[in-house]
Amino acid sequence: MWVAFAPPRVLAKVANQAAKKHPAYKQHGVCKLTAESEATKALLKQLPVTDL
């Protein structure tokens, strides 16, 4: 089971993908992103545009 939280829909989709696949979130299956956080910026830099 994965849980993802983020205010805008696109960030919620990124959080969902991170909760499923990113090693930092995969163990617990939970990812909460905020628009201006460093974690959000780091995930967005790693994500290919085609994945959205």
Side-chain angles (χ1 to χ4, degrees), residues 16-38:
N16 187 34
Q17 183 174 6
K20 291 178 185 177
K21 299 179 181 179
H22 196 278
Y25 302 104
K26 191 175 181 178
Q27 180 181 2
H28 300 290
V30 177
C31 180
K32 179 181 176 187
L33 298 178
T34 57
E36 297 299 321
S37 74
E38 293 301 318

